[in-house]
Amino acid sequence: MAKQRKRYKNLGTVEFSEKEDKHVTDMIEQAEKELEETRVSFRWDKEPLALVKRAANLMGIPYQTFLKLAAYEHALAVLQDAQPLVKRTLKQPNR
């Protein structure tokens, strides 16, 4: 189910302090980033998740970041390994 955007009333020009302006700018940037993201959730057994959390802890990063990094790197490796196969398949004449 897609989120509906809230509609806000335009208040016109508003003056912010430098600190407030930075905070508002950061919030806007975060909101725009979130609009570009896709959330993924899945069920996983406790043991594999505990293992991932330990590895992430060793790297000093959150386990969600570790999972994203690991999945991305593995997907790149799979695609690189498949590249020669894809090229050979494309070169074969149609039957």
Side-chain angles (χ1 to χ4, degrees):
M1 179 166 47
K3 281 187 176 180
Q4 291 185 351
R5 286 188 170 179
K6 294 181 181 180
R7 300 199 185 278
Y8 295 97
K9 181 180 176 184
N10 186 343
L11 299 177
T13 302
V14 179
E15 294 292 324
F16 291 114
S17 69
E18 189 175 321
K19 183 178 178 181
E20 290 171 325
D21 187 59
K22 174 155 180 27
H23 180 68
V24 170
T25 300
D26 290 346
M27 289 174 55
I28 291 169
E29 288 173 0
Q30 178 64 31
E32 288 173 351
K33 182 180 176 188
E34 287 175 6
L35 288 174
E36 296 172 4
E37 293 178 348
T38 300
R39 297 203 181 267
V40 176
S41 64
F42 54 91
R43 296 188 186 280
W44 215 9
D45 289 335
K46 289 181 181 180
E47 259 185 63
L49 182 57
L51 183 74
V52 165
K53 286 182 175 182
R54 284 177 50 208
N57 189 42
L58 280 173
M59 292 184 68
I61 59 176
Y63 78 94
Q64 298 96 332
T65 303
F66 180 86
L67 283 171
K68 288 188 277 187
L69 179 63
Y72 185 77
E73 287 178 349
H74 185 69
L76 284 175
V78 167
L79 291 172
Q80 287 173 346
D81 289 347
Q83 195 73 21
L85 178 62
V86 171
K87 286 181 180 178
R88 280 197 310 264
T89 304
L90 291 175
K91 289 181 182 178
Q92 290 180 355
N94 292 336
R95 295 178 187 196

